Amino acid sequence: MSPRLITIFATGVGLLSLSVPSYSHHGTAIVYDLTQSITISGTVADFRFVNPHTLIYVDVRGEDGKVVSWLGGLSAHTSLTRREGWTIETLKPGDEITVTGAPARRGAPSVWVQQVILNGELLLSGESTG
């Protein structure tokens, strides 16, 4: 095989490898301060049992009476199903929950969920990575 043909082949393989999806992952520590912990209580507005992260939208009434919509991020639904037995029916809009987790670094109403309590029952304890 000639050196020119080898170069063309190697270039083609290199370009094809760029078209393969990237499986890199962002770290939750970039967005959330994993050294801190906050607790919020409110009403589930939406529950999205999806990949790459399960999402819980919680309406929290502040001391001033205003409702703030919080976003709670968790690992993928497949992990929650395997480890915790969660399903798409685990949380429903209108459920009153308490969530504990790591707050967003920039003060946004967002939390990386580590614990969920529904009706006095601990549904999740120890979620820490994404």
Side-chain angles (χ1 to χ4, degrees):
M1 198 180 276
S2 74
R4 182 167 189 243
L5 190 54
I6 291 172
T7 301
I8 291 171
F9 179 75
T11 302
V13 169
L15 289 173
L16 282 175
S17 71
L18 293 176
S19 68
V20 175
S22 172
Y23 292 102
S24 65
H25 191 273
H26 59 276
T28 52
I30 293 170
V31 178
Y32 298 98
D33 184 351
L34 300 177
T35 66
Q36 302 293 316
S37 182
I38 61 169
T39 298
I40 61 169
S41 294
T43 306
V44 174
D46 195 10
F47 176 56
R48 298 190 185 169
F49 201 54
V50 296
N51 280 323
H53 297 284
T54 297
L55 303 172
I56 305 171
Y57 295 86
V58 183
D59 288 340
V60 177
R61 186 168 305 278
E63 291 179 14
D64 60 1
K66 293 182 182 176
V67 174
V68 176
S69 295
W70 280 73
L71 170 64
L74 298 102
S75 61
H77 73 83
T78 51
S79 297
L80 290 169
T81 297
R82 273 193 312 265
R83 288 192 330 256
E84 306 291 339
W86 283 34
T87 70
I88 198 167
E89 298 292 321
T90 297
L91 294 173
K92 296 173 227 39
D95 285 345
E96 295 293 326
I97 64 171
T98 299
V99 172
T100 300
R105 289 189 177 276
R106 298 188 186 255
S110 183
V111 59
W112 184 252
V113 178
Q114 297 166 333
Q115 184 180 78
V116 176
I117 297 173
L118 170 66
N119 298 326
E121 179 184 343
L122 185 62
L123 295 182
L124 176 71
S125 180
E127 181 82 0
S128 63
T129 60

